[in-house]
Amino acid sequence: MTGIFDNDPQSNTVNNTDTPGAAAVSDAEALTASWQRVTQRMRKDIGEAAWRSWIKPLSVSRLEDGTLTLEASSSLARERVNSQFADRLRVMSAAEFGNVQQVEVRIARAAGRKLPSAPPRITDNAPARSPEKDELLAGLDPRYTFANFVVGKPNELAFAVARRTAESETVAFNPLFLYGGVGLGKTHLMHAIAWHIREQAPNRKVMYLSAEKFMYRFVRALRFRDTMSFKEQFRSVDVLMIDDVQFISGKDSTQEEFFHTFNALVEDGRQVIISADKSPTDLEGMEERLRSRLGWGMVADIHPADYELRLGILQAKAEQAQINIPDKVLEFIAHRIASNVRELEGALNRIMAHAMLVGREITIDSTADLLADLLRASSRRISVDAIQKRVAAHYGIRVSEMFSTRRARDIARPRQVAMYLSKILTSLSYPEIGRQFGGRDHTTVMHAVRAVESHIETNPQIAEDVQLLKSLLSN
Ligand code: ADP
Ligand code: MG
């Protein structure tokens, strides 16, 4: 295989601390030189923007007992490096230095050292920014850009409206409401919008935060009787993005405040962008007026990635990392890990780390071994689709009857059983299940679930059917 460490004649120039008698890497210059090579590898691996922001500003401090110590200029930088790049740094440092089991990032203490004094910058070409602006966008992931987002059928609408919103000088859709299941790219798209506006229209004041943070700040403002400045802070932005708004479901006073902030901004012609795990109408625990208000602008959903998109994402990420993974292996992963993109990425990262470390060809067998736990978890999850097929087969009806409006008993009964099984075997809500049964209302699903529950009590045949189907589906 072509590992990224091949054909690098330099990689053995620094003594391995394992070798008896060899000088340990104590020489500061050698250490720095080696560290430079590690950072160049990181640069290829994670891309220019992320590298400039997070890796380049690091400096190397020492290598002792298998621990490579690096210094960062701020706690933000340290956290980011630890949370996102620690594994790669370890693998790449191990390849360069030999004996590195651990990479530690400290905050630089001593003044007067050769350290970048400014906090990491995200882009070089952007004009100088006020600290206040950096604060508004703190926590944006440099990898979450439009360029890094792979588009396919399931997410093309969300991608298109996100781009439109980011590019538009004026308010495009208000609010823009993005929704979809966990790990499907909502946060990625939101960050991408923020990055884009930040670069293309640096004068527009963009604020991104999770609904959880919003609530946290609100509660703090209440506690310190400082709601005025809280309000001002939010109402002075041009673009407000709130991620995972479902978090404030059931939190009444936060919702109330959010509603007012939201209205004030929209009425003033500022752009509001919201994400959630459900559509506005399905957000349980949200006040009716807020739900309806959230649905006024553009609502775009991200569907679970289909096989093609999953494969596309895997190919793009492997290519970015410049790690050669056989097509067969990528196809295998795309087939077997269907849950969400985050898990897909996790699986790929594991395979890539392995490839870098052992340098042996990756095969389907070794992949299956490495991913055994993920593959098991993935096959345990049950889809409504699978339930409908299984139930239809059991009762000898066509799958299409699951979506039809026919009410004949021999059709309606199996359909109800399928709805019931969907409720107990998946984590979907009533409205979501209704939608997958030909767009039925959530009350229909609730009724079906109750009906089957009571049949199970009174009708042994149904009880047996349900039991059998349940065990067939759970394996
Ligand atoms: P969500 O916010 O919907 O839970 P995220 O935006 O955090 O999901 O996405 C999870 C991970 O999957 C992130 O690392 C993200 O970059 C990646 N991801 C999701 N969709 C795509 C895509 N279409 N192309 C590339 N990466 C994606
Ligand atoms: Mg998210």
Side-chain angles (χ1 to χ4, degrees):
M1 64 160 269
T2 48
I4 57 168
F5 301 131
D6 293 354
N7 60 43
D8 181 351
Q10 309 258 37
S11 52
N12 289 317
T13 49
V14 172
N15 290 315
N16 186 325
T17 47
D18 272 347
T19 321
V25 185
S26 53
D27 174 26
E29 268 175 36
L31 190 63
T32 307
S34 298
W35 169 244
Q36 285 312 318
R37 283 192 291 276
V38 174
T39 77
Q40 289 311 318
R41 285 176 176 154
M42 286 296 285
R43 185 183 201 160
K44 282 194 203 145
D45 191 32
I46 65 176
E48 186 69 17
W51 179 80
R52 262 179 205 285
S53 312
W54 309 112
I55 303 301
K56 188 168 172 245
L58 296 172
S59 62
V60 65
S61 157
R62 62 166 186 270
L63 173 59
E64 241 172 54
D65 300 331
T67 299
L68 180 71
T69 308
L70 304 173
E71 289 186 337
S73 55
S74 69
S75 59
L76 172 70
R78 185 188 56 182
E79 269 166 43
R80 183 54 67 87
V81 171
N82 275 331
S83 66
Q84 271 167 23
F85 307 115
D87 281 346
R88 284 178 222 229
L89 273 175
R90 187 170 44 75
V91 171
M92 298 198 180
S93 305
E96 177 67 39
F97 293 105
N99 177 32
V100 175
Q101 275 119 37
Q102 205 186 333
V103 173
E104 231 177 62
V105 187
R106 300 187 317 201
I107 300 176
R109 299 155 297 166
R113 294 187 72 142
K114 212 177 129 258
L115 281 169
S117 51
R121 291 266 174 252
I122 302 303
T123 48
D124 260 357
N125 53 0
R129 319 226 159 242
S130 64
E132 184 213 18
K133 275 210 163 158
D134 282 327
E135 157 76 16
L136 293 178
L137 292 172
L140 283 190
D141 192 314
R143 295 169 309 170
Y144 292 180
T145 58
F146 284 127
N148 285 342
F149 193 82
V150 182
V151 186
K153 266 252 160 344
N155 60 22
E156 64 186 0
L157 173 68
F159 177 81
V161 294
R163 268 214 88 106
R164 220 356 235 298
T165 308
E167 281 165 2
S168 174
E169 296 275 310
T170 55
V171 169
F173 318 104
N174 220 1
L176 168 59
F177 190 101
L178 297 171
Y179 77 94
V182 64
L184 297 183
K186 303 181 295 291
T187 298
H188 187 135
L189 280 178
M190 290 191 104
H191 289 202
I193 296 174
W195 285 131
H196 189 95
I197 297 178
R198 189 186 177 160
E199 274 183 23
Q200 302 303 313
N203 293 328
R204 289 178 89 190
K205 203 165 154 190
V206 183
M207 185 177 205
Y208 166 89
L209 77 172
S210 64
E212 187 178 3
K213 269 229 174 86
F214 180 89
M215 180 175 101
Y216 173 76
R217 291 205 192 164
F218 174 59
V219 170
R220 200 176 46 180
L222 285 179
R223 191 148 54 91
F224 293 109
R225 293 165 212 260
D226 194 18
T227 47
M228 276 311 282
S229 66
F230 173 84
K231 283 186 207 301
E232 267 166 32
Q233 194 187 7
F234 285 96
R235 293 179 191 182
S236 66
V237 301
D238 297 305
V239 182
L240 177 66
M241 304 202 216
I242 307 268
D243 203 353
D244 286 324
V245 80
Q246 74 277 359
F247 183 85
I248 60 170
S249 295
K251 317 230 159 68
D252 294 346
S253 49
T254 304
Q255 262 182 52
E256 177 84 21
E257 184 57 35
F258 173 69
F259 184 68
H260 292 307
T261 306
F262 177 91
N263 280 333
L265 288 171
V266 171
E267 270 155 32
D268 209 24
R270 321 291 180 90
Q271 178 74 56
V272 179
I273 304 169
I274 309 282
S275 86
D277 64 351
K278 300 202 179 62
S279 77
T281 39
D282 291 346
L283 281 172
E284 289 152 21
M286 284 278 194
E287 240 191 294
E288 176 54 34
R289 58 173 185 169
L290 180 53
R291 273 192 283 161
S292 92
R293 195 76 179 74
L294 287 173
W296 277 13
M298 167 61 88
V299 177
D301 58 344
I302 308 186
H303 298 276
D306 54 14
Y307 171 73
E308 272 178 1
L309 179 57
R310 296 199 296 272
L311 186 60
I313 291 172
L314 290 172
Q315 283 167 344
K317 304 221 178 227
E319 205 167 290
Q320 243 167 39
Q322 300 189 313
I323 294 184
N324 206 359
I325 298 181
D327 289 343
K328 282 262 165 304
V329 170
L330 295 182
E331 286 162 17
F332 173 77
I333 302 174
H335 263 302
R336 297 291 300 275
I337 299 197
S339 46
N340 68 50
V341 183
R342 187 171 297 135
E343 281 191 21
L344 202 60
E345 274 188 331
L348 183 65
N349 286 341
R350 209 187 278 181
I351 300 298
M352 295 196 298
H354 184 75
M356 285 196 272
L357 285 168
V358 303
R360 224 182 300 121
E361 168 118 46
I362 308 165
T363 64
I364 292 188
D365 280 346
S366 64
T367 302
D369 277 350
L370 277 171
L371 302 180
D373 55 331
L374 293 177
L375 296 176
R376 264 198 309 276
S378 174
S379 62
R380 263 203 309 274
R381 256 179 299 248
I382 301 166
S383 69
V384 169
D385 191 47
I387 293 172
Q388 291 170 334
K389 286 195 182 118
R390 182 62 83 173
V391 173
H394 179 80
Y395 287 101
I397 63 170
R398 281 205 302 267
V399 179
S400 61
E401 301 288 15
M402 291 289 165
F403 321 111
S404 79
T405 51
R406 285 180 56 196
R407 289 165 177 231
R409 216 238 218 141
D410 56 340
I411 305 280
R413 180 63 58 77
R415 195 189 290 133
Q416 287 189 327
V417 167
M419 288 182 190
Y420 166 81
L421 290 169
S422 300
K423 187 62 200 167
I424 63 167
L425 296 178
T426 74
S427 55
L428 298 174
S429 66
Y430 289 117
E432 282 168 331
I433 294 172
R435 215 169 302 125
Q436 298 204 42
F437 281 83
R440 287 182 156 78
D441 194 71
H442 70 279
T443 53
T444 308
V445 184
M446 286 165 75
H447 172 74
V449 171
R450 274 199 291 266
V452 174
E453 274 167 359
S454 78
H455 291 323
I456 289 173
E457 298 291 319
T458 55
N459 183 335
Q461 181 58 51
I462 291 196
E464 197 180 298
D465 285 349
V466 167
Q467 199 49 47
L468 174 69
L469 285 163
K470 222 158 80 175
S471 69
L472 285 172
L473 283 159
S474 306
N475 282 309

